[in-house]
Each structure stands twice: as structure tokens, then as C-alpha cells.
Amino acid sequence: MTTLYVDNIAPNLQSKISAPNLTLPSGSVIQVVQNTLTNTQETTTSTSFTDTTLSASITPSSTSSKILISVSSQWHTLASTKFVAFALKRNTTDIAPGINHAGQTTTWGTVSFSYLDSPSSTDAVTYTLRFASYDGSTVVHGWGDGGVGSTQNIVLMEIAG
């Protein structure tokens, strides 16, 4: 075994790195934002997408950054067809419309999905989960097993470009 004795450590001024000049490798996670709703239920009969209160905002540090959005939620429908659709909105623009979800033998279920977005901005960006009924029957977002409210999550991760 080798022993290293050091009386003093001095910085290497030849390789000075400051935070504003730090460049992370492509694919590195720069920041993470999460929003969680508990026992929040929202209802719609609209066949057009309607905003839910499940949203989160992030301010990208670079225009080359990508944002990975991960959503986890529950739903319930009173329709015999048992169909509900989800979409994702960036600010005022639909970016992932028609994430379909259907229950074949039940009237409730879970939805989990991820979407990689390139907002090309360093301004604050808000992502919102949207939902719709296929046939105009009542659809409830945030409905847990047995009709009790559940926990819904949205996670935003800024990825270095």
C-alpha cells in the first residue's frame, strides 16, 4: 500500500472552470421539476381536449436543451365504451395530442407516458396534461381505484443538447 502525504493543495490556475462556462455532455440531466396533485378530481364531457390542473413549469438553460416530460395519472369513465384520451400541451400548443387510453373490462385505469420535447427557448415553459371523452360521456381525471382520489405526477427533466 502506498501512502500519499500532502502539506498543501493549490488550485491549478491553468484549468480554471467557472459555473457559467461549464458545459455538460449531451444527454446530461441539468434540472428536474416535479408537481404532484393528491385527491384532485376533474370531470369533462367534452370530446375536445380540456386542460387538467396537472401542470409544471421549467426554464431551460439553453435553446439546445430538450425537456423530458413524464406523466402518471388515473382516470374513470361512465361510458360503456370506456374510452378516454390524453394530450400534452406546451404553453398554448398541443405537442402530444391523442395519447389514447382505453379500458376494455373496467371503467377506471392508469395512464403513464413520457414525451421528449425540444422547446428551443430559454423562457419559462409550462406543460399541462389534457383529457377528453371519446363520446361525450363523463370522464373523470384523477380517479383512483374504488372512486377515491389518487396521486397524479408530472416530472420535467431538462436534458443537455
Side-chain angles (χ1 to χ4, degrees), residues 30-31 33 57-62 67 121-125 156 158:
I30 298 172
Q31 63 174 313
V33 174
S57 296
I58 193 168
T59 303
S61 59
S62 170
I67 306 297
S121 175
T122 55
D123 294 333
V125 181
L156 310 177
E158 181 182 1

Side-chain angles (χ1 to χ4, degrees), residues 26-31 64-68 116 157-161:
S26 181
S28 298
V29 175
I30 298 172
Q31 63 174 313
S64 64
S65 292
K66 297 186 182 314
I67 306 297
L68 179 62
L116 186 62
M157 287 188 278
E158 181 182 1
I159 309 296

Side-chain angles (χ1 to χ4, degrees), residues 41-45 50 131 138-141:
Q41 296 181 0
E42 301 165 285
T43 304
T44 189
T45 56
T50 302
F131 72 133
T138 301
V139 174
V140 183
H141 163 255

Side-chain angles (χ1 to χ4, degrees), residues 69 87-90 93-97 115-118 127:
I69 306 107
L88 199 57
K89 183 172 80 171
R90 178 198 332 115
T93 304
D94 284 324
I95 57 170
Y115 183 83
L116 186 62
D117 186 36
S118 300
Y127 293 93

Side-chain angles (χ1 to χ4, degrees), residues 77-152:
T77 179
L78 302 178
S80 59
T81 54
K82 301 176 183 81
F83 287 105
V84 61
F86 289 92
L88 199 57
K89 183 172 80 171
R90 178 198 332 115
N91 295 334
T92 59
T93 304
D94 284 324
I95 57 170
I99 300 163
N100 300 328
H101 213 68
Q104 299 301 319
T105 60
T106 184
T107 58
W108 69 271
T110 60
V111 59
S112 295
F113 65 90
S114 296
Y115 183 83
L116 186 62
D117 186 36
S118 300
S120 300
S121 175
T122 55
D123 294 333
V125 181
T126 300
Y127 293 93
T128 305
L129 180 66
R130 307 182 85 204
F131 72 133
S133 170
Y134 272 169
D135 59 5
S137 61
T138 301
V139 174
V140 183
H141 163 255
W143 182 282
D145 183 12
V148 288
S150 57
T151 301
Q152 301 116 57

